[in-house]
Amino acid sequence: MHVMADVREADRRITQRAANHIPGGIGQLLSAVEETAESSKLWFGAAAVMIGLGSGRGRRSAVSGLAALVVAQVVSNGVGKQLVDRSRPPKEWIEHDEVEDRPDSSSFPSGHTAAAVAFTSAVAPAWPLAAVLCAVPAAALALERVQSGAHYPSDVATGALIGFGSAWLIRRAPRLLQHLPKAPLSLLS
């Protein structure tokens, strides 16, 4: 029980520090990144650039990134938010008006972070440089989710874990599918 109390206290302290001590100009930059990433627009745009610039490597990276993003969105938004009904951080903790522009859905986990980390992590094996470039807005987005008061740090950390897991699953899926037992032909007809 002490662990959960420690997590709640860390969530409160980090949320208040991020929300109230990040300079306004940086907060505006973080908000611009979040707006660009809304509905995964940023990641679809990155995938389009990868396809345009990277030939086969770009296509592989884009497909892996988008597949991992879809898995992460299903797990975080389709399952996680439905199972865990967690309120957003209290408005009293946040001293700026961005706190008024938050979703009504469950705070846990951060779907934005899950998608960003999934896309970036899935791109990394095929195109490390592209992943490094994607990591910058992914990290900014994760920070923005706490700074804006939309999420607790533990929501963001869980979203990141979902993203890493989704990328791992997409990378391993072809090998995992090879080991499934073959269905008898009579079942297929």
Side-chain angles (χ1 to χ4, degrees):
M1 285 303 194
H2 294 290
V3 171
M4 289 310 296
D6 291 344
V7 168
R8 282 191 293 274
E9 178 58 21
D11 270 344
R12 182 194 62 75
R13 280 194 330 264
I14 295 168
T15 300
Q16 287 181 308
R17 180 168 295 280
N20 302 320
H21 297 314
I22 290 178
I26 293 174
Q28 289 174 339
L29 177 64
L30 294 173
S31 292
V33 171
E34 189 276 332
E35 285 293 321
T36 306
E38 188 66 37
S39 302
S40 299
K41 294 180 298 238
L42 177 60
W43 313 116
F44 281 104
V49 170
M50 288 176 196
I51 290 169
L53 296 178
S55 65
R57 178 174 62 173
R59 285 190 295 279
R60 282 190 307 279
S61 298
V63 168
S64 294
L66 292 176
L69 180 145
V70 168
V71 170
Q73 290 287 20
V74 168
V75 172
S76 62
N77 296 328
V79 177
K81 287 185 185 290
Q82 307 311 310
L83 293 177
V84 180
D85 186 22
R86 185 180 195 188
S87 300
R88 303 283 172 169
K91 290 182 178 183
E92 305 81 61
W93 292 2
I94 318 298
E95 296 175 4
H96 54 73
D97 8 342
E98 268 187 74
V99 73
E100 300 300 329
D101 187 27
R102 306 187 296 182
D104 292 330
S105 61
S106 174
S107 179
F108 185 87
S110 170
H112 281 80
T113 304
V117 171
F119 184 87
T120 302
S121 299
V123 164
W127 202 351
L129 178 59
V132 168
L133 294 175
C134 289
V136 172
L141 180 64
L143 177 58
E144 187 280 337
R145 301 316 289 155
V146 176
Q147 181 271 335
S148 68
H151 287 285
Y152 296 96
S154 58
D155 301 338
V156 170
T158 303
L161 290 174
I162 290 168
F164 286 127
S166 300
W168 178 88
L169 182 64
I170 291 304
R171 286 192 9 245
R172 299 292 188 279
R175 281 182 252 151
L176 294 172
L177 292 174
Q178 288 175 344
H179 298 294
L180 289 178
K182 304 283 189 239
L185 289 178
S186 61
L187 294 176
L188 298 175
S189 50

